Coordinates of all heavy atoms in Angstrom, one line a residue:
M32 N -68.8 41.4 -16.9 CA -67.5 41.9 -17.1 C -66.7 41.2 -18.1 O -66.8 40.0 -18.1 CB -66.7 42.2 -15.9 CG -67.3 43.1 -14.8 SD -66.6 44.7 -15.0 CE -67.5 45.7 -13.9
S33 N -65.9 41.7 -19.0 CA -65.2 41.1 -20.0 C -63.9 41.8 -20.2 O -63.8 42.7 -21.1 CB -66.0 41.1 -21.3 OG -65.4 40.7 -22.3
F34 N -63.0 41.5 -19.4 CA -61.8 42.2 -19.4 C -60.8 41.6 -20.4 O -60.8 40.4 -20.6 CB -61.0 42.1 -18.0 CG -61.6 43.1 -17.0 CD1 -62.6 42.6 -16.2 CD2 -61.1 44.4 -16.9 CE1 -63.1 43.5 -15.2 CE2 -61.7 45.2 -16.0 CZ -62.5 44.8 -15.1
Q35 N -60.1 42.5 -21.2 CA -59.2 42.1 -22.3 C -57.9 42.8 -21.8 O -57.8 43.9 -21.5 CB -59.7 42.5 -23.5 CG -60.9 41.7 -24.1 CD -61.2 42.3 -25.4 OE1 -62.1 43.1 -25.6 NE2 -60.6 41.8 -26.6
R36 N -56.7 42.0 -22.3 CA -55.5 42.7 -22.0 C -55.3 43.9 -22.9 O -55.6 43.9 -24.1 CB -54.4 41.5 -22.3 CG -53.0 42.2 -22.0 CD -51.8 41.2 -22.4 NE -50.6 41.8 -22.2 CZ -50.0 42.7 -23.0 NH1 -50.6 43.2 -24.1 NH2 -48.8 43.2 -22.6
A37 N -54.8 45.0 -22.2 CA -54.6 46.3 -23.0 C -53.1 46.4 -23.3 O -52.7 46.7 -24.4 CB -55.1 47.3 -22.3
L38 N -52.2 46.3 -22.3 CA -50.8 46.5 -22.5 C -50.1 46.2 -21.2 O -50.9 45.9 -20.2 CB -50.5 48.0 -22.9 CG -50.5 49.1 -21.7 CD1 -50.2 50.4 -22.4 CD2 -52.0 49.2 -21.1
A39 N -48.8 46.2 -21.2 CA -48.1 45.9 -19.9 C -48.1 47.1 -19.0 O -48.0 48.3 -19.6 CB -46.8 45.4 -20.2
L40 N -48.1 47.0 -17.7 CA -47.9 48.2 -16.9 C -46.8 49.0 -17.1 O -46.8 50.2 -17.0 CB -48.1 47.6 -15.4 CG -48.1 48.6 -14.2 CD1 -49.4 49.4 -14.5 CD2 -48.2 47.8 -13.0
A41 N -45.7 48.3 -17.5 CA -44.5 49.0 -17.8 C -44.6 50.0 -18.9 O -43.6 50.9 -19.1 CB -43.3 48.1 -17.8
E42 N -45.6 49.8 -19.7 CA -45.6 50.7 -21.0 C -46.5 51.9 -20.7 O -46.7 52.6 -21.7 CB -46.5 49.8 -22.0 CG -45.6 48.6 -22.6 CD -46.5 47.8 -23.6 OE1 -47.2 47.0 -23.1 OE2 -46.3 48.1 -24.8
V43 N -47.0 52.0 -19.5 CA -47.8 53.3 -19.1 C -46.8 54.3 -18.4 O -46.3 54.0 -17.4 CB -49.0 52.8 -18.2 CG1 -49.8 54.0 -18.0 CG2 -49.7 51.7 -18.7
P44 N -46.5 55.3 -19.2 CA -45.7 56.3 -18.6 C -46.2 57.0 -17.4 O -47.3 56.9 -17.1 CB -45.5 57.3 -19.7 CG -46.2 56.8 -20.9 CD -47.2 55.8 -20.4
E45 N -45.3 57.7 -16.6 CA -45.8 58.4 -15.5 C -46.5 59.7 -15.7 O -47.4 60.0 -14.9 CB -44.5 58.7 -14.5 CG -44.0 57.5 -13.9 CD -44.6 56.9 -12.7 OE1 -45.6 57.6 -12.3 OE2 -44.4 55.8 -12.4
D46 N -46.0 60.3 -16.7 CA -46.5 61.7 -16.9 C -47.2 62.0 -18.2 O -47.5 63.1 -18.6 CB -45.4 62.7 -16.7 CG -44.2 62.3 -17.6 OD1 -44.3 61.3 -18.3 OD2 -43.3 63.1 -17.4
E47 N -47.5 60.9 -18.9 CA -48.3 61.1 -20.1 C -49.1 59.9 -20.4 O -48.9 58.8 -19.8 CB -47.3 61.5 -21.4 CG -46.3 60.4 -21.6 CD -45.4 60.9 -22.6 OE1 -44.7 61.7 -22.4 OE2 -45.3 60.3 -23.9
A48 N -50.1 60.1 -21.3 CA -51.0 58.9 -21.6 C -50.6 58.2 -22.7 O -49.5 58.6 -23.4 CB -52.4 59.5 -22.0
V49 N -51.0 57.0 -23.0 CA -50.5 56.1 -24.0 C -51.8 55.6 -24.7 O -52.8 55.3 -24.1 CB -49.6 55.0 -23.5 CG1 -50.3 54.1 -22.6 CG2 -49.2 54.2 -24.6
G50 N -51.9 55.6 -26.1 CA -52.9 55.1 -26.8 C -52.9 53.6 -27.1 O -51.8 53.1 -27.4
V51 N -53.9 52.9 -26.9 CA -54.0 51.5 -27.2 C -55.6 51.1 -27.7 O -56.4 51.9 -27.3 CB -53.7 50.7 -25.9 CG1 -54.7 50.9 -24.8 CG2 -53.5 49.2 -26.2
T52 N -55.6 50.1 -28.4 CA -56.9 49.8 -28.9 C -57.3 48.4 -28.4 O -56.5 47.5 -28.4 CB -57.0 49.7 -30.5 OG1 -56.7 50.9 -31.0 CG2 -58.4 49.4 -31.0
V53 N -58.5 48.4 -27.7 CA -58.9 47.1 -27.1 C -60.2 46.8 -27.9 O -61.2 47.6 -27.9 CB -59.1 47.2 -25.6 CG1 -59.7 45.9 -25.1 CG2 -57.8 47.4 -25.0
G54 N -60.4 45.7 -28.6 CA -61.6 45.3 -29.3 C -61.6 46.5 -30.4 O -60.7 46.7 -31.1
A55 N -62.7 47.2 -30.5 CA -62.8 48.3 -31.4 C -62.7 49.6 -30.8 O -62.8 50.7 -31.4 CB -64.2 48.2 -32.2
Q56 N -62.5 49.7 -29.4 CA -62.4 50.9 -28.7 C -60.9 51.4 -28.5 O -60.1 50.8 -28.1 CB -62.9 50.6 -27.3 CG -63.0 51.9 -26.4 CD -64.0 52.9 -27.1 OE1 -65.1 52.6 -27.2 NE2 -63.4 54.1 -27.2
E57 N -60.7 52.7 -29.1 CA -59.5 53.3 -28.8 C -59.5 53.9 -27.4 O -60.4 54.6 -27.0 CB -59.2 54.4 -29.9 CG -59.2 53.7 -31.3 CD -58.7 54.8 -32.3 OE1 -58.7 56.1 -32.0 OE2 -58.7 54.3 -33.4
L58 N -58.5 53.7 -26.7 CA -58.4 54.1 -25.3 C -57.1 55.0 -25.1 O -56.1 54.7 -25.7 CB -58.3 52.9 -24.4 CG -59.4 52.0 -24.4 CD1 -59.1 50.6 -23.7 CD2 -60.7 52.6 -23.8
A59 N -57.2 56.0 -24.2 CA -56.2 56.6 -23.6 C -55.8 56.0 -22.2 O -56.7 56.0 -21.3 CB -56.3 58.1 -23.5
I60 N -54.8 55.4 -21.9 CA -54.5 54.8 -20.7 C -53.4 55.7 -20.0 O -52.5 56.2 -20.5 CB -53.7 53.4 -20.9 CG1 -54.6 52.5 -21.8 CG2 -53.5 52.7 -19.5 CD1 -55.7 51.8 -21.2
A61 N -53.7 55.9 -18.7 CA -52.9 56.8 -17.8 C -52.7 56.3 -16.4 O -53.7 55.5 -16.0 CB -53.3 58.2 -17.9
R62 N -51.8 56.7 -15.8 CA -51.6 56.3 -14.3 C -51.5 57.4 -13.5 O -51.1 58.5 -13.8 CB -50.5 55.3 -14.2 CG -49.1 56.0 -14.5 CD -48.0 54.8 -14.5 NE -47.8 54.1 -13.4 CZ -47.1 52.9 -13.4 NH1 -46.5 52.6 -14.4 NH2 -46.9 52.3 -12.3
H63 N -52.0 57.2 -12.2 CA -51.8 58.2 -11.1 C -51.2 57.4 -9.9 O -51.9 56.7 -9.3 CB -53.1 58.8 -10.8 CG -53.0 59.8 -9.6 ND1 -52.3 61.0 -9.7 CD2 -53.4 59.9 -8.5 CE1 -52.4 61.6 -8.6 NE2 -53.0 61.0 -7.8
G64 N -49.9 57.5 -9.7 CA -49.2 56.6 -8.8 C -49.4 55.1 -9.1 O -49.1 54.8 -10.3
D65 N -49.9 54.4 -8.4 CA -50.1 53.0 -8.8 C -51.5 52.6 -9.4 O -51.7 51.6 -9.8 CB -50.1 52.1 -7.4 CG -48.7 52.0 -6.8 OD1 -47.7 52.2 -7.6 OD2 -48.6 51.7 -5.6
E66 N -52.3 53.6 -9.5 CA -53.7 53.5 -10.2 C -53.6 53.7 -11.7 O -52.9 54.6 -12.1 CB -54.7 54.5 -9.6 CG -55.2 54.2 -8.2 CD -56.3 55.1 -7.8 OE1 -55.9 56.2 -7.2 OE2 -57.4 54.8 -7.8
V67 N -54.3 52.9 -12.2 CA -54.3 52.9 -13.8 C -55.6 53.2 -14.3 O -56.6 52.6 -13.7 CB -53.7 51.8 -14.4 CG1 -53.8 51.8 -16.0 CG2 -52.3 51.4 -14.1
F68 N -55.8 54.0 -15.2 CA -57.2 54.5 -15.7 C -57.3 54.3 -17.2 O -56.2 54.4 -18.0 CB -57.5 56.0 -15.3 CG -57.3 56.2 -13.9 CD1 -56.2 56.5 -13.2 CD2 -58.5 56.0 -13.2 CE1 -56.2 56.8 -11.8 CE2 -58.5 56.3 -11.8 CZ -57.3 56.7 -11.2
A69 N -58.5 54.1 -17.7 CA -58.7 54.1 -19.1 C -59.9 55.0 -19.5 O -61.0 55.0 -18.9 CB -59.0 52.7 -19.5
V70 N -59.6 55.9 -20.5 CA -60.8 56.9 -20.9 C -60.7 56.6 -22.4 O -59.7 56.1 -23.1 CB -60.5 58.2 -20.5 CG1 -60.4 58.3 -18.9 CG2 -59.3 58.9 -21.2
E71 N -61.9 56.9 -23.0 CA -61.9 56.9 -24.4 C -60.9 58.0 -25.0 O -60.7 58.9 -24.4 CB -63.3 57.2 -24.9 CG -63.9 58.6 -24.7 CD -65.3 58.9 -25.2 OE1 -65.4 58.6 -26.5 OE2 -66.0 59.3 -24.5
D72 N -60.3 57.6 -26.2 CA -59.2 58.3 -26.7 C -59.7 59.4 -27.6 O -59.2 59.6 -28.7 CB -58.3 57.4 -27.3 CG -56.9 58.1 -27.7 OD1 -56.7 59.2 -27.0 OD2 -56.1 57.6 -28.5
V73 N -60.6 60.2 -27.2 CA -61.1 61.3 -28.0 C -61.6 62.4 -27.1 O -62.4 62.1 -26.2 CB -62.1 61.0 -29.2 CG1 -63.4 60.3 -28.6 CG2 -62.4 62.3 -30.0
C74 N -61.2 63.6 -27.2 CA -61.6 64.8 -26.4 C -63.1 65.0 -26.7 O -63.7 64.7 -27.8 CB -60.8 66.0 -26.8 SG -61.4 67.5 -25.9
S75 N -63.9 65.5 -25.8 CA -65.3 65.7 -25.9 C -65.6 67.0 -26.6 O -66.7 67.2 -26.9 CB -66.1 65.6 -24.6 OG -65.6 66.6 -23.7
H76 N -64.5 67.7 -26.8 CA -64.6 69.1 -27.6 C -64.5 69.0 -28.9 O -65.2 69.6 -29.7 CB -63.7 70.0 -26.8 CG -63.7 71.5 -27.3 ND1 -62.7 72.1 -27.9 CD2 -64.9 72.3 -27.5 CE1 -63.1 73.4 -28.3 NE2 -64.4 73.4 -27.9
A77 N -63.5 68.1 -29.5 CA -63.2 68.0 -30.9 C -62.4 66.7 -31.0 O -62.1 66.2 -30.0 CB -62.5 69.2 -31.4
A78 N -62.3 66.2 -32.3 CA -61.7 65.0 -32.5 C -60.2 65.0 -32.3 O -59.4 65.0 -33.2 CB -62.0 64.6 -33.8
V79 N -59.7 65.1 -31.0 CA -58.4 65.1 -30.7 C -58.1 63.9 -29.7 O -58.8 63.7 -28.8 CB -58.0 66.5 -30.1 CG1 -56.6 66.3 -29.4 CG2 -58.1 67.6 -31.0
A80 N -57.0 63.3 -30.0 CA -56.5 62.2 -29.2 C -56.0 62.5 -27.8 O -55.2 63.3 -27.6 CB -55.5 61.3 -29.9
L81 N -56.8 62.1 -26.8 CA -56.3 62.4 -25.5 C -55.0 61.6 -25.1 O -54.2 62.0 -24.1 CB -57.4 62.1 -24.3 CG -58.6 62.9 -24.5 CD1 -59.7 62.6 -23.4 CD2 -58.2 64.4 -24.2
S82 N -54.7 60.7 -25.8 CA -53.5 59.7 -25.5 C -52.3 60.5 -25.8 O -51.2 60.2 -25.5 CB -53.6 58.5 -26.4 OG -53.6 58.7 -27.7
E83 N -52.4 61.8 -26.5 CA -51.2 62.5 -26.8 C -51.0 63.6 -25.8 O -50.1 64.4 -25.9 CB -51.4 63.2 -28.3 CG -51.5 62.1 -29.4 CD -51.8 62.7 -30.6 OE1 -51.8 63.9 -30.9 OE2 -52.1 62.0 -31.6
G84 N -51.8 63.5 -24.7 CA -51.7 64.7 -23.8 C -50.9 64.3 -22.5 O -50.6 63.1 -22.4
E85 N -50.5 65.3 -21.9 CA -49.7 65.1 -20.6 C -50.6 64.8 -19.4 O -51.9 65.1 -19.4 CB -49.0 66.3 -20.2 CG -47.9 66.6 -21.3 CD -47.2 67.9 -21.0 OE1 -47.4 68.5 -19.8 OE2 -46.1 68.3 -21.6
V86 N -50.2 64.1 -18.5 CA -50.9 63.6 -17.3 C -50.4 64.3 -16.0 O -49.2 64.3 -15.9 CB -50.9 62.1 -17.2 CG1 -51.6 61.6 -15.9 CG2 -51.7 61.5 -18.3
D87 N -51.2 64.9 -15.3 CA -50.8 65.5 -14.1 C -52.0 65.5 -13.0 O -53.2 65.8 -13.4 CB -50.3 66.9 -14.3 CG -49.8 67.6 -13.1 OD1 -49.1 67.0 -12.3 OD2 -50.1 68.8 -12.9
D88 N -51.7 65.1 -11.8 CA -52.7 65.2 -10.7 C -53.9 64.4 -11.0 O -55.0 65.0 -10.9 CB -52.9 66.6 -10.3 CG -53.7 66.8 -9.0 OD1 -53.4 65.8 -8.2 OD2 -54.2 67.8 -8.8
C89 N -53.8 63.3 -11.7 CA -55.0 62.4 -12.0 C -55.9 63.1 -13.0 O -57.0 62.8 -13.0 CB -55.8 62.0 -10.8 SG -56.6 60.5 -11.0
T90 N -55.4 63.9 -14.0 CA -56.0 64.4 -15.1 C -55.2 64.2 -16.4 O -53.9 64.2 -16.2 CB -56.4 65.8 -14.9 OG1 -55.1 66.7 -14.8 CG2 -57.1 66.3 -13.7
V91 N -55.8 64.1 -17.4 CA -55.1 64.1 -18.8 C -55.5 65.4 -19.4 O -56.6 65.8 -19.5 CB -55.4 62.9 -19.7 CG1 -56.9 62.8 -19.9 CG2 -54.5 62.8 -20.9
E92 N -54.5 66.0 -20.1 CA -54.8 67.3 -20.9 C -55.0 67.0 -22.3 O -54.1 66.4 -22.9 CB -53.6 68.2 -20.5 CG -53.9 69.6 -21.2 CD -52.6 70.5 -21.0 OE1 -51.5 70.1 -21.1 OE2 -52.9 71.7 -20.6
C93 N -56.0 67.7 -22.9 CA -56.1 67.8 -24.3 C -55.2 68.8 -24.9 O -55.2 70.0 -24.4 CB -57.6 68.1 -24.7 SG -57.7 68.4 -26.4
W94 N -54.2 68.4 -25.7 CA -53.2 69.4 -26.1 C -53.7 70.5 -27.0 O -53.0 71.4 -27.0 CB -52.1 68.5 -26.9 CG -52.5 67.8 -28.1 CD1 -52.9 66.5 -28.2 CD2 -52.7 68.3 -29.5 NE1 -53.3 66.2 -29.5 CE2 -53.1 67.3 -30.3 CE3 -52.5 69.6 -30.0 CZ2 -53.4 67.6 -31.7 CZ3 -52.7 69.9 -31.3 CH2 -53.3 68.8 -32.1
L95 N -54.9 70.3 -27.5 CA -55.3 71.4 -28.6 C -55.7 72.6 -27.8 O -55.3 73.8 -28.1 CB -56.4 70.8 -29.4 CG -56.8 71.7 -30.7 CD1 -55.6 72.0 -31.5 CD2 -57.9 71.1 -31.5
H96 N -56.6 72.5 -26.9 CA -57.1 73.7 -26.2 C -57.0 73.8 -24.8 O -57.5 74.7 -24.1 CB -58.8 73.9 -26.6 CG -59.0 74.0 -28.0 ND1 -59.8 73.1 -28.6 CD2 -58.5 74.8 -29.0 CE1 -60.0 73.4 -29.9 NE2 -59.1 74.4 -30.2
G97 N -56.4 72.7 -24.3 CA -56.0 72.7 -22.8 C -57.0 72.3 -21.8 O -56.8 72.3 -20.6
S98 N -58.1 71.7 -22.2 CA -59.0 71.2 -21.3 C -58.5 70.0 -20.5 O -57.7 69.3 -21.2 CB -60.4 70.7 -21.9 OG -61.2 71.8 -22.0
R99 N -58.7 69.8 -19.2 CA -58.1 68.6 -18.6 C -59.2 67.8 -18.2 O -60.4 68.2 -17.8 CB -57.4 68.9 -17.3 CG -56.1 70.0 -17.6 CD -55.3 70.1 -16.5 NE -54.4 69.0 -16.3 CZ -53.2 68.7 -17.0 NH1 -52.7 69.7 -17.5 NH2 -52.5 67.6 -16.9
F100 N -59.1 66.4 -18.2 CA -60.3 65.5 -17.8 C -59.7 64.7 -16.6 O -58.6 64.1 -16.5 CB -60.5 64.6 -19.0 CG -61.1 65.3 -20.3 CD1 -60.3 65.9 -21.2 CD2 -62.6 65.5 -20.4 CE1 -60.8 66.5 -22.2 CE2 -63.0 66.2 -21.4 CZ -62.2 66.8 -22.5
D101 N -60.6 64.6 -15.7 CA -60.4 63.9 -14.5 C -60.4 62.4 -14.9 O -61.4 61.9 -15.4 CB -61.5 64.0 -13.5 CG -61.2 63.5 -12.1 OD1 -60.9 62.2 -12.1 OD2 -61.1 64.2 -11.1
L102 N -59.3 61.5 -14.5 CA -59.1 60.2 -15.0 C -60.1 59.4 -14.3 O -60.6 58.3 -14.7 CB -57.7 59.7 -14.8 CG -56.6 60.4 -15.6 CD1 -55.3 60.0 -15.2 CD2 -56.9 60.1 -17.1
R103 N -60.6 59.9 -13.1 CA -61.6 59.0 -12.3 C -63.0 59.1 -12.8 O -63.7 58.2 -12.8 CB -61.5 59.3 -10.9 CG -60.2 59.0 -10.1 CD -60.2 59.1 -8.7 NE -59.2 58.7 -7.9 CZ -58.1 59.4 -7.6 NH1 -58.1 60.8 -7.9 NH2 -57.1 58.9 -7.0
T104 N -63.4 60.4 -13.1 CA -64.8 60.6 -13.5 C -64.9 60.9 -15.0 O -66.1 60.8 -15.4 CB -65.2 61.8 -12.8 OG1 -64.5 63.0 -13.2 CG2 -65.1 61.6 -11.2
G105 N -63.8 61.2 -15.8 CA -64.0 61.6 -17.1 C -64.5 63.0 -17.4 O -64.7 63.4 -18.5
K106 N -64.8 63.7 -16.2 CA -65.3 65.1 -16.4 C -64.2 66.1 -16.6 O -63.1 66.0 -16.1 CB -66.0 65.4 -15.0 CG -67.3 64.8 -14.8 CD -67.9 65.3 -13.6 CE -69.3 64.5 -13.2 NZ -69.7 64.7 -12.0
P107 N -64.5 67.0 -17.5 CA -63.6 68.1 -17.7 C -63.3 69.0 -16.5 O -64.4 69.2 -15.8 CB -64.1 69.0 -18.9 CG -65.4 68.6 -18.8 CD -65.7 67.3 -18.2
T108 N -62.2 69.4 -16.2 CA -61.9 70.2 -15.0 C -61.9 71.7 -15.5 O -61.8 72.7 -14.6 CB -60.6 69.9 -14.3 OG1 -59.6 70.1 -15.2 CG2 -60.7 68.5 -13.7
G109 N -61.9 72.0 -16.9 CA -61.8 73.3 -17.3 C -62.3 73.5 -18.8 O -62.3 72.4 -19.5
L110 N -62.7 74.6 -19.1 CA -63.1 74.9 -20.5 C -62.1 74.7 -21.4 O -60.9 74.8 -21.0 CB -63.7 76.3 -20.5 CG -65.1 76.4 -19.8 CD1 -65.5 78.0 -19.8 CD2 -66.2 75.6 -20.3
P111 N -62.3 74.6 -22.8 CA -63.5 74.8 -23.4 C -64.4 73.5 -23.4 O -65.6 73.4 -23.8 CB -63.2 75.1 -24.8 CG -61.9 74.4 -25.1 CD -61.2 74.6 -23.7
A112 N -63.9 72.2 -23.1 CA -64.6 71.2 -23.1 C -65.7 71.2 -21.8 O -65.4 71.7 -20.8 CB -63.9 69.9 -22.8
T113 N -66.9 70.7 -22.1 CA -67.9 70.8 -21.1 C -68.5 69.4 -20.8 O -69.2 69.2 -19.9 CB -69.1 71.8 -21.5 OG1 -69.6 71.2 -22.7 CG2 -68.5 73.1 -21.6
E114 N -68.4 68.4 -21.7 CA -69.0 67.1 -21.6 C -67.9 66.1 -21.1 O -66.7 66.2 -21.5 CB -69.5 66.6 -22.9 CG -70.6 67.6 -23.5 CD -71.8 67.4 -22.6 OE1 -72.2 66.4 -22.0 OE2 -72.5 68.6 -22.4
P115 N -68.2 65.1 -20.3 CA -67.3 64.1 -20.0 C -67.0 63.2 -21.0 O -67.7 63.1 -21.9 CB -68.0 63.4 -18.8 CG -69.5 63.6 -19.2 CD -69.6 65.0 -19.7
V116 N -65.8 62.4 -20.9 CA -65.4 61.4 -21.8 C -65.6 60.0 -21.1 O -65.7 60.1 -19.8 CB -63.9 61.5 -22.2 CG1 -63.7 62.6 -23.0 CG2 -63.0 61.5 -21.0
A117 N -65.9 59.0 -21.8 CA -66.3 57.7 -21.2 C -65.0 57.1 -20.4 O -63.9 57.2 -20.9 CB -66.6 56.7 -22.3
T118 N -65.3 56.6 -19.3 CA -64.2 55.9 -18.5 C -64.6 54.4 -18.4 O -65.7 54.0 -18.3 CB -64.0 56.5 -17.1 OG1 -65.4 56.4 -16.5 CG2 -63.8 58.0 -17.1
F119 N -63.5 53.6 -18.5 CA -63.8 52.1 -18.5 C -63.1 51.5 -17.4 O -62.0 51.9 -16.8 CB -63.0 51.6 -19.8 CG -63.8 52.1 -21.1 CD1 -63.3 53.4 -21.6 CD2 -64.7 51.5 -21.6 CE1 -63.9 53.9 -22.8 CE2 -65.4 51.9 -22.7 CZ -64.9 53.1 -23.4
P120 N -63.5 50.3 -16.8 CA -63.0 49.6 -15.8 C -61.6 49.1 -16.1 O -61.5 48.5 -17.3 CB -64.0 48.5 -15.4 CG -65.3 48.8 -16.3 CD -64.8 49.7 -17.4
V121 N -60.7 49.2 -15.2 CA -59.4 48.8 -15.4 C -59.0 47.7 -14.3 O -59.5 47.8 -13.1 CB -58.4 49.9 -15.3 CG1 -57.0 49.5 -15.3 CG2 -58.5 50.8 -16.5
D122 N -58.3 46.7 -14.7 CA -57.9 45.6 -13.7 C -56.5 45.4 -14.0 O -56.0 44.9 -15.0 CB -58.8 44.4 -13.8 CG -58.5 43.4 -12.7 OD1 -58.0 43.8 -11.8 OD2 -58.8 42.2 -12.8
V123 N -55.6 45.7 -12.9 CA -54.2 45.4 -13.1 C -54.0 44.1 -12.5 O -54.2 43.8 -11.4 CB -53.4 46.5 -12.4 CG1 -51.9 46.2 -12.6 CG2 -53.6 47.8 -12.9
R124 N -53.5 43.1 -13.3 CA -53.2 41.7 -13.0 C -51.6 41.6 -13.0 O -51.2 41.3 -14.1 CB -53.9 40.8 -13.9 CG -55.4 41.1 -13.9 CD -56.1 40.1 -14.8 NE -57.5 40.3 -14.8 CZ -58.4 39.9 -15.6 NH1 -58.0 38.9 -16.5 NH2 -59.7 40.0 -15.7
G125 N -51.1 41.7 -11.9 CA -49.5 41.6 -11.9 C -48.9 42.7 -12.6 O -49.0 43.9 -12.4
T126 N -48.3 42.3 -13.7 CA -47.6 43.3 -14.6 C -48.3 43.7 -15.9 O -47.9 44.4 -16.7 CB -46.3 42.8 -15.0 OG1 -46.4 41.6 -15.8 CG2 -45.3 42.5 -14.0
E127 N -49.7 43.2 -16.0 CA -50.5 43.3 -17.1 C -51.7 44.3 -16.8 O -52.3 44.2 -15.7 CB -50.9 42.0 -17.8 CG -49.8 41.1 -18.0 CD -48.9 41.7 -19.1 OE1 -49.4 42.2 -20.1 OE2 -47.6 41.6 -19.0
V128 N -52.1 45.0 -17.7 CA -53.3 45.9 -17.6 C -54.4 45.5 -18.5 O -54.3 45.3 -19.7 CB -53.0 47.5 -17.9 CG1 -54.3 48.3 -17.9 CG2 -51.8 47.9 -17.1
Y129 N -55.6 45.1 -17.8 CA -56.8 44.6 -18.5 C -57.9 45.8 -18.4 O -58.0 46.5 -17.4 CB -57.2 43.4 -17.8 CG -56.4 42.2 -18.2 CD1 -55.1 42.0 -17.6 CD2 -56.9 41.1 -18.9 CE1 -54.5 40.9 -17.9 CE2 -56.1 40.1 -19.5 CZ -54.9 40.0 -18.8 OH -54.2 38.9 -19.2
V130 N -58.6 45.9 -19.5 CA -59.6 46.9 -19.6 C -61.0 46.1 -20.1 O -60.9 45.4 -21.0 CB -59.3 48.0 -20.5 CG1 -60.5 49.1 -20.5 CG2 -58.1 48.7 -20.0
D131 N -62.1 46.5 -19.5 CA -63.4 46.0 -20.0 C -64.0 47.2 -20.7 O -64.4 48.2 -20.2 CB -64.2 45.7 -18.8 CG -65.6 45.1 -19.2 OD1 -65.8 45.1 -20.4 OD2 -66.5 44.7 -18.4
V132 N -64.0 46.9 -22.1 CA -64.6 48.0 -23.0 C -66.1 47.8 -23.2 O -66.7 48.5 -24.2 CB -63.8 48.1 -24.2 CG1 -62.4 48.7 -24.0 CG2 -63.8 46.9 -25.1
T133 N -66.7 46.8 -22.6 CA -68.0 46.4 -22.9 C -69.1 47.3 -22.0 O -70.3 47.3 -22.2 CB -68.4 45.0 -22.6 OG1 -68.2 44.7 -21.4 CG2 -67.4 44.1 -23.6
T134 N -68.4 48.1 -21.1 CA -69.2 48.8 -20.2 C -68.4 50.1 -19.8 O -67.2 50.1 -20.1 CB -69.6 48.1 -18.9 OG1 -70.5 48.9 -18.2 CG2 -68.4 47.7 -18.1
T135 N -69.1 51.1 -19.3 CA -68.3 52.4 -19.0 C -68.7 52.6 -17.4 O -69.7 52.3 -16.9 CB -68.7 53.7 -19.7 OG1 -70.1 54.0 -19.4 CG2 -68.4 53.3 -21.1
L136 N -67.7 53.1 -16.7 CA -67.8 53.3 -15.4 C -68.8 54.6 -15.0 O -69.5 54.6 -14.1 CB -66.5 53.8 -14.6 CG -65.6 52.4 -14.6 CD1 -64.2 53.0 -14.2 CD2 -66.1 51.5 -13.6
N137 N -68.8 55.5 -16.0 CA -69.4 56.8 -15.7 C -70.8 57.0 -16.5 O -71.3 58.0 -16.5 CB -68.5 58.1 -15.9 CG -68.0 58.1 -17.2 OD1 -68.3 57.3 -18.2 ND2 -67.3 59.3 -17.6
G138 N -71.2 55.9 -17.2 CA -72.4 55.9 -17.9 C -72.3 56.8 -19.2 O -73.3 56.8 -19.9
V139 N -71.1 57.2 -19.7 CA -71.1 57.9 -20.8 C -70.8 57.0 -21.9 O -70.0 56.1 -21.9 CB -69.8 58.9 -20.7 CG1 -69.6 59.6 -22.0 CG2 -70.0 60.0 -19.6
T140 N -71.6 57.3 -23.0 CA -71.5 56.3 -24.3 C -70.2 56.9 -25.0 O -70.3 58.2 -25.4 CB -72.7 56.4 -25.0 OG1 -73.8 56.0 -24.3 CG2 -72.6 55.6 -26.3
P141 N -69.4 56.0 -25.4 CA -68.1 56.5 -26.2 C -68.6 57.0 -27.5 O -69.6 56.7 -28.1 CB -67.4 55.2 -26.3 CG -67.8 54.3 -25.3 CD -69.3 54.7 -25.1
Q142 N -67.9 58.1 -28.0 CA -68.1 58.7 -29.2 C -68.0 57.8 -30.5 O -67.1 57.0 -30.4 CB -67.4 59.9 -29.4 CG -67.6 61.1 -28.4 CD -66.7 62.3 -28.6 OE1 -66.5 62.8 -29.6 NE2 -66.0 62.7 -27.5
Ligands
FES277 S1 -60.2 69.7 -28.7 FE1 -59.9 69.1 -26.6 S2 -60.3 71.0 -25.7 FE2 -60.6 71.5 -27.6

């Protein structure tokens, strides 16, 4: 495990994702209550940043065609996307959010 600081917890909005780059990996960071999640910042359907999407019920929405991705599993909950996006380990240390971009939680290779 190789966690790197991504951003401050206070920088993660309640109802939308935020984009951040850790190492060479672009991430969409989002929260569900006190839980924080990191997914790769590109929709699996086309090259659209998920960090620009709204977050609801532990999913992030792709603004272009409306597929939602489960923040826990990376899997789309509806069409047109059919493939999961990579999810990364997150560690909240006090007021700071750390992400390990050297591995994925769901085994998906980032695009
Ligand atoms: S680009 Fe994301 S659902 Fe089509």
